[in-house]
């Protein structure tokens, strides 16, 4: 058949098969090794978490100087980002729904982000305290006839009057005894007042809930998770009421 070209059959050397088998074995061993490494890392993480849960509660140790430096260097600007929006929104929702136009004390207020996001018509009085001078300096721009900020130590501050809501946003785990902090502010709550507590979920922060819920009743609880895998738990806590109150 003239005019037609036929391809010559490819000669496959036995060595090619051996090379393929070696590559396959190497790939298989590499995958096994990687799986073993991933398993080991996972096991270490699980052991670490179990160990932390067995240890007594330890606060997240950041010094006053450390906070001042971070605020001065604007390292907390991320708190204004969309990644932090959900837990702020839950706090605001609780405030608006449960205590509309109520008096609010914001403990550990930082630069006043919660106040920024609260509509003026949703509270009668707002007081924010933080022991960082730089944070309060930045927050003071928000002050008006119903809003004030004070640079104060949470452990020694004496609230002026009583409040419908006292918010502890991402601050309880910085104290040696979170329960005693709540107890200290209990007298600043009105008879039907509530604590609103937000805590970023972590092995080191989870014991805080065990400590405070031994004394305070959780009236409601919400957990929000961002696509970054960070999550927060926000709870409404109420002091136990004595009979007849």
């Amino acid at each position: 058949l003239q005019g037609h070209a036929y391809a010559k059959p490819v000669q496959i050397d036995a060595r090619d098969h051996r090379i393929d088998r070696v590559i396959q074995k190497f790939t298989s061993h590499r995958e096994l090794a990687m799986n073993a490494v991933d398993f080991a890392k996972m096991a270490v993480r699980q052991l670490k978490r179990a160990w932390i849960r067995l240890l007594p509660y330890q606060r997240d140790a950041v010094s006053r100087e450390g906070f001042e430096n971070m605020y001065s260097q604007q390292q907390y600007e991320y708190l204004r980002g969309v990644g932090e929006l959900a837990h702020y929104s839950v706090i605001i929702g609780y405030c608006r729904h449960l205590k509309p136009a109520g008096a609010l004390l914001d403990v550990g207020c930082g630069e006043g982000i919660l106040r920024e996001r609260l509509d003026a018509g949703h509270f009668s009085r707002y007081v924010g305290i933080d022991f960082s001078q730089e944070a309060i300096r930045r927050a003071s721009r928000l002050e008006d006839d119903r809003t004030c900020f004070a640079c104060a130590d949470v452990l020694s501050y004496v609230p002026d009057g009583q409040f419908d809501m006292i918010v502890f946003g991402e601050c309880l785990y910085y104290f040696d005894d979170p329960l005693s902090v709540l107890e200290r502010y209990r007298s600043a709550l009105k008879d039907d007042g509530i604590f609103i507590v937000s805590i970023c979920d972590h092995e080191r922060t989870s014991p805080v809930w065990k400590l405070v819920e031994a004394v305070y009743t959780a009236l409601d609880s919400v957990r929000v998770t961002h696509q970054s895998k960070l999550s927060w738990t926000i709870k409404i806590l109420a002091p136990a009421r004595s009979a007849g109150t």
Side-chain angles (χ1 to χ4, degrees), residues 17 28 90 163 172-173 180 207 219 239:
H17 290 298
S28 177
V90 172
F163 297 85
L172 279 184
Y173 45 78
S180 69
L219 301 181

Side-chain angles (χ1 to χ4, degrees), residues 17-31:
H17 290 298
R18 290 198 295 271
I19 291 172
D20 287 342
R21 286 197 294 271
V22 169
I23 291 174
Q24 289 173 358
K25 287 182 179 179
F26 173 78
T27 303
S28 177
H29 290 162
R30 184 170 179 271
E31 289 176 351

Side-chain angles (χ1 to χ4, degrees), residues 19 27 40 43 55 69 71 83-85 88 122 128 131 135 138 149 155 159 182 188-190 198 206 212 235 245:
I19 291 172
T27 303
L55 291 173
N69 289 337
Y71 278 115
E84 303 283 326
L85 180 62
Y88 277 113
H122 294 143
F131 76 171
R138 292 169 180 266
F149 293 92
L155 299 179
L182 286 182
L189 279 178
K190 293 182 180 180
S198 174
S206 59
V212 301
K235 297 188 180 185
T245 62

Side-chain angles (χ1 to χ4, degrees), residues 33-47:
M34 291 177 66
N35 289 338
V37 169
D38 289 341
F39 178 80
K41 288 180 178 178
M42 181 185 69
V44 169
R45 286 195 298 269
Q46 294 294 336
L47 287 172

Side-chain angles (χ1 to χ4, degrees), residues 36-106:
V37 169
D38 289 341
F39 178 80
K41 288 180 178 178
M42 181 185 69
V44 169
R45 286 195 298 269
Q46 294 294 336
L47 287 172
K48 182 179 178 182
R49 290 172 182 171
W51 177 246
I52 290 174
R53 284 194 289 267
L54 290 173
L55 291 173
Y57 163 74
Q58 291 183 322
R59 73 181 181 92
D60 192 349
V62 180
S63 66
R64 182 188 295 263
E65 182 181 0
F67 278 113
E68 292 292 356
N69 289 337
M70 286 188 282
Y71 278 115
S72 297
Q73 297 168 16
Q74 299 186 347
Q75 292 184 27
Y76 285 120
E77 281 300 303
Y78 72 91
L79 293 175
R80 289 188 165 85
V82 69
E84 303 283 326
L85 180 62
H87 66 96
Y88 277 113
S89 298
V90 172
I91 294 171
I92 291 170
Y94 277 148
C95 293
R96 291 176 58 180
H97 183 72
L98 297 172
K99 300 292 179 181
L104 189 158
L105 174 61
D106 188 1

Side-chain angles (χ1 to χ4, degrees), residues 20 31 42 50 60 77 113-114 126 128 130 138 145 167-168 170 176 178 180 193 198 205 207 210-211 214 220 244:
D20 287 342
E31 289 176 351
M42 181 185 69
D60 192 349
E77 281 300 303
I113 295 176
L114 180 64
Y126 171 98
D130 200 288
R138 292 169 180 266
D145 58 341
V167 175
F168 292 86
E170 307 306 317
D176 289 320
S180 69
S198 174
T205 60
K210 294 181 181 179
L211 292 172
D220 196 52

